[in-house]
């Protein structure tokens, strides 16, 4: 699929730079993600595939599996641990049970600008987190972005927290996200991404929240008439490799895969940001009623959510929260 929609074209894949890498052996990487072929995440994976295949001279073959065909974020991560899948790129949020520090990214309105997320993810904090997450049968080798989350629902426009009263909102499997929506007065329920479209279609839940590009590429607009541009959470993607596979890779190929993951992460974030506004417009054109909030309206949500910071401070680690808030 070349275009994110009829109206929005994906930018062309960059050329591959860097020398060919010689090492012994033939390897296969099955790379699974939850989002679809028309999203920015998949576009990033195509770039990763191109880099790794070209620079290994075909000795490493990469096969891409979108739409949670090989499991949702948690299942794919377990498959890496079991050694039955080589790579995946989940949102950090469903993995907080394994890596409690990831919950810091679930704090509402943490990063006012995407560049601030980059500074943290690509700086010391993010690099330390990759090291810490390189355990439990996993090797964490890079960051990407799912992006700023927006609210959609099937019932009515939402402009203020009171409009959420009683709305059934699907959240990721993450207690902090549940806390956010309860605090705002909604009725949240956790669910894996793979089940979400059907749950929306059948009215099991009234709404959900995801970045514009994920809303569009997963066609949630076909079953959700209303959206609100809340930008309430910025969700990173993390690139994970099975440690069992990693340990079999010659060192030179490990370096190649790491380098390709970094380039994929940079490119994928660039695509996601370039397309964000265009896709919002596409969604409007498709008939979705999108409520854009004024800074004052956003502040009402933000103020109501400030207690969440106190509630989660001990669990996440006050120092980490302060470190990040100092940087943004
Ligand atoms: O892989 O569950 C979600 O809402 C996320 O967008 C999902 O992690 C994408």
């Amino acid at each position: 699929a070349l275009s994110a929609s009829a109206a929005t074209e994906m930018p062309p894949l960059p050329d591959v730079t860097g020398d060919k890498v010689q090492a012994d052996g033939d390897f296969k990487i099955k790379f699974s993600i939850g989002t679809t072929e028309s999203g920015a995440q998949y576009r990033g994976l195509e770039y990763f595939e191109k880099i790794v295949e070209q620079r290994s001279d075909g000795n490493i073959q990469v096969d891409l599996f979108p739409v949670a065909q090989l499991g949702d974020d948690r299942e794919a991560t377990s498959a890496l641990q079991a050694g039955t899948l080589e790579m995946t790129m989940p949102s950090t949020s469903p993995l907080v049970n394994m890596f409690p520090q990831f919950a810091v990214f679930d704090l509402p309105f943490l990063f006012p600008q995407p560049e601030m997320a980059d500074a943290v993810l690509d700086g010391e904090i993010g690099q330390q987190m990759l090291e810490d997450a390189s355990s439990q049968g996993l090797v964490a080798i890079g960051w990407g972005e799912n992006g700023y989350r927006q609210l959609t629902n099937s019932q009515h426009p939402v402009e203020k927290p009171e409009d959420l009263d009683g709305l059934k909102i699907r959240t990721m499997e993450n207690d902090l996200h549940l806390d956010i929506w309860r605090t705002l007065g909604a009725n949240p329920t956790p669910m894996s991404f793979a089940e979400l479209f059907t749950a929306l279609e059948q009215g099991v839940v009234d709404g959900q929240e995801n970045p514009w590009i994920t809303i569009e590429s997963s066609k949630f607009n076909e079953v959700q008439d209303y959206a609100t541009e809340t930008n309430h959470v910025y969700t990173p993607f993390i690139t994970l490799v099975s440690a069992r596979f990693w340990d079999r890779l010659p060192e030179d190929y490990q370096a190649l895969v790491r380098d390709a993951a970094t380039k994929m992460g940079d490119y994928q974030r660039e695509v996601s940001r370039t397309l964000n506004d265009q896709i919002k417009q596409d969604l409007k054109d498709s008939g979705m009623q999108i409520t854009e909030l004024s800074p004052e309206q956003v502040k009402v949500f933000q103020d109501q959510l400030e207690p969440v910071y106190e509630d989660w401070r001990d669990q996440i680690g006050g120092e980490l929260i302060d470190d990040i808030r100092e940087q943004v």
Side-chain angles (χ1 to χ4, degrees), residues 10 95 108 111 125 219 231 242:
M10 279 287 167
L95 303 189
F111 296 123
I125 292 176
K219 300 190 178 0
N231 289 313
S242 164

Side-chain angles (χ1 to χ4, degrees), residues 146 148-155 158 164 167-172 177 181 186-189 191-193 195-197 199-201 204-216 218-224 226-228 230 232 283 288:
N146 195 342
Y148 284 102
R149 307 184 79 87
Q150 321 296 353
L151 176 72
T152 71
N153 85 93
S154 58
Q155 300 298 311
V158 172
L164 288 163
L167 268 193
K168 277 188 253 158
I169 306 292
R170 173 271 178 178
T171 70
M172 291 185 283
H177 278 256
W181 295 100
N187 178 8
T189 178
M191 188 185 292
S192 99
F193 188 67
E195 296 170 71
L196 180 51
F197 184 89
L200 293 169
E201 190 178 37
V204 176
V205 289
D206 302 312
Q208 66 85 43
E209 39 84 63
N210 252 297
W212 294 131
I213 194 153
T214 302
I215 291 167
E216 206 258 5
S218 295
K219 300 190 178 0
F220 295 153
N221 55 309
E222 291 181 1
V223 287
Q224 301 275 273
Y226 306 97
T228 306
T230 46
H232 54 278
L283 288 168
M288 202 174 206

Side-chain angles (χ1 to χ4, degrees), residues 87-146:
M87 288 183 71
T88 189
M89 196 179 187
S91 296
T92 46
S93 314
L95 303 189
V96 288
N97 294 343
M98 297 177 68
F99 305 113
Q101 281 193 321
F102 286 177
V104 76
F105 301 122
D106 299 308
L107 288 167
F109 302 104
L110 182 68
F111 296 123
Q113 302 291 333
E115 293 74 23
M116 296 170 178
D118 293 344
V120 169
L121 294 171
D122 299 333
E124 240 171 75
I125 292 176
Q127 295 315 298
Q128 186 59 49
M129 279 191 182
L130 292 181
E131 265 177 50
D132 294 344
S134 296
S135 60
Q136 305 181 52
L138 304 170
V139 183
I141 59 170
W143 298 106
E145 79 170 19
N146 195 342

